[in-house]
Amino acid sequence: MKKKLIIIATIVVILFLFLGLLFSTNSIYYSNTLLNNYFQENRSVLETYIEELNYDKYFDEYNDEIIGNVKEYTVPETLKKINVNKIILLDNSCVFFEISTCDGYYGGIYYSINDAYSNKCIEYGNDTEIYSLDFKENRKKILVKGEKNSGKDWYKTEKIEANWYLFEVHIA
């Protein structure tokens, strides 16, 4: 009887160690509930902005060596009220809304004109090598460049619905 308890206890300990290892790896990325909820709560304001956006009028335009053609728009009061602190049109294909409510990372929502993931991001910190990496799909609808908690910058994007995506940039 004592041998059986030792064997069972050993199996249980091994199982807990295995599960702990499985869930602590860098390859597990979770859906961002904060940004998903933010989009649902502010959807009409963001959609209205996109519908009325005049792509020819902008605050500043520049060509970044890494991310390409960038237009930064002045943030209107309606978007400031919902914590948007930056609006950027990237390569004439994605309109990024950087949200100031993200803790510990840069993040927000973007509208993709072509309904495609943006493999570039408006924030990249000091680690420009992230742009040479390919996406790896970690779970349905979640794409990541870089490794979570690796000491380097990493970028995650996730489809919310047609044309709308969220993004996170973690700068080490």
Side-chain angles (χ1 to χ4, degrees):
M1 181 70 166
K2 196 173 187 176
K3 262 188 169 177
K4 285 184 179 179
L5 286 174
I6 292 172
I7 291 171
I8 291 172
T10 304
I11 291 172
V12 168
V13 168
I14 291 171
L15 182 62
F16 276 115
L17 289 173
F18 175 74
L19 290 174
L21 181 63
L22 179 68
F23 289 108
S24 67
T25 61
N26 291 340
S27 63
I28 297 175
Y29 298 85
Y30 297 99
S31 180
N32 190 314
T33 306
L34 174 74
L35 289 173
N36 268 302
N37 290 343
Y38 173 88
F39 175 74
Q40 297 307 325
E41 292 167 8
N42 299 292
R43 164 193 233 134
S44 63
V45 177
L46 295 170
E47 286 176 342
T48 299
Y49 182 82
I50 290 296
E51 289 168 7
E52 297 173 354
L53 181 60
N54 181 339
Y55 290 94
D56 296 328
K57 290 189 175 184
Y58 52 88
F59 176 73
D60 191 18
E61 181 177 19
Y62 54 99
N63 195 347
D64 188 287
E65 294 175 9
I66 298 163
I67 58 177
N69 185 28
V70 178
K71 294 180 183 177
E72 187 169 338
Y73 290 82
T74 303
V75 180
E77 287 301 315
T78 54
L79 293 180
K80 285 181 183 177
K81 288 179 184 176
I82 61 169
N83 295 319
V84 173
N85 59 16
K86 194 182 279 187
I87 303 169
I88 291 179
L89 174 63
L90 182 59
D91 289 335
N92 292 320
S93 63
C94 293
V95 180
F96 281 82
F97 300 92
E98 186 179 289
I99 311 302
S100 62
T101 57
C102 301
D103 291 330
Y105 62 91
Y106 294 100
I109 306 295
Y110 67 92
Y111 178 82
S112 173
I113 296 166
N114 303 321
D115 195 20
Y117 290 95
S118 174
N119 65 345
K120 301 176 184 178
C121 189
I122 59 173
E123 302 288 348
Y124 55 85
N126 299 321
D127 187 358
T128 57
E129 293 176 13
I130 198 166
Y131 289 95
S132 64
L133 300 175
D134 291 328
F135 275 130
K136 57 183 178 183
E137 186 168 357
N138 285 279
R139 206 173 61 189
K140 189 177 180 182
K141 300 190 310 181
I142 297 177
L143 298 175
V144 179
K145 285 186 173 198
E147 294 290 334
K148 185 176 183 179
N149 300 326
S150 66
K152 291 192 172 191
D153 300 348
W154 56 278
Y155 168 62
K156 179 182 100 169
T157 185
E158 176 181 352
K159 186 169 188 168
I160 301 171
E161 62 180 47
N163 299 89
W164 289 99
Y165 299 79
L166 63 82
F167 72 96
E168 297 178 29
V169 182
H170 296 259
I171 298 177

